[in-house]
Amino acid sequence: MPIQFKILGYAGLLPFICIPLLVAADMTNYFYSFQHFVQYSAIILSFFGGIHWYDALQHNRVNHQLYVAMLPSIVGWLGLVFLNGNLLLGVLSCAFIGMLMYDKYTLTMEKSKVIEYTILRLALTTIVVLCHLAMALIA
């Protein structure tokens, strides 16, 4: 896997890491920071649906993968609209974990790429979920 994928993946963690740190250091308002955190989380979650949309399109599959590709966007949006606080953080965290597990068993790639991608996603998802937990604990 080219290094650019890893660099961009880890760079995408910056808002997840910085927002809880700024809140914990009392450098920003929790209410507004929480809103920014969950909005960013929902956007990144939607990105994972796009990966499956493209994979289904590229391999001409109209099966569960095509429909599951829509779930991250819908879960993220419905969560933002109807949920609040720690429940929202929990739903988003579970959705990230669910997409990681779904990726592992569904994406069509060469075996070596699947392993590299899964290792990267496992690291990124672990950090994302821990940051969601941090936001819940800070509240």
Side-chain angles (χ1 to χ4, degrees), residues 15-138:
F16 286 119
I17 295 168
C18 291
I19 292 173
L21 288 175
L22 290 170
V23 172
D26 204 24
M27 297 175 70
T28 185
N29 176 286
Y30 178 80
F31 175 76
Y32 293 114
S33 297
F34 178 85
Q35 294 301 317
H36 298 147
F37 184 91
V38 295
Q39 289 167 354
Y40 182 72
S41 181
I43 289 168
I44 296 301
L45 183 62
S46 295
F47 172 78
F48 292 119
I51 292 169
H52 285 280
W53 180 273
Y54 177 76
D55 193 54
L57 179 68
Q58 184 176 7
H59 296 96
N60 200 26
R61 288 189 296 237
V62 180
N63 61 8
H64 60 88
Q65 186 181 20
L66 183 62
Y67 299 103
V68 171
M70 297 307 299
L71 284 178
S73 302
I74 293 168
V75 168
W77 179 74
L78 288 174
L80 290 173
V81 172
F82 293 111
L83 301 177
N84 203 346
N86 288 348
L87 182 58
L88 175 55
L89 291 169
V91 166
L92 290 169
S93 293
C94 288
F96 276 101
I97 294 167
M99 286 308 297
L100 172 65
M101 294 184 329
Y102 189 73
D103 283 0
K104 185 174 189 247
Y105 297 107
T106 308
L107 290 177
T108 307
M109 291 187 238
E110 298 170 20
K111 185 130 178 109
S112 64
K113 287 183 182 178
V114 170
I115 293 169
E116 281 186 284
Y117 179 76
T118 302
I119 291 169
L120 177 63
R121 277 294 310 285
L122 182 59
L124 296 173
T125 299
T126 300
I127 294 168
V128 166
V129 171
L130 289 173
C131 290
H132 281 73
L133 178 61
M135 283 299 285
L137 293 174
I138 292 169

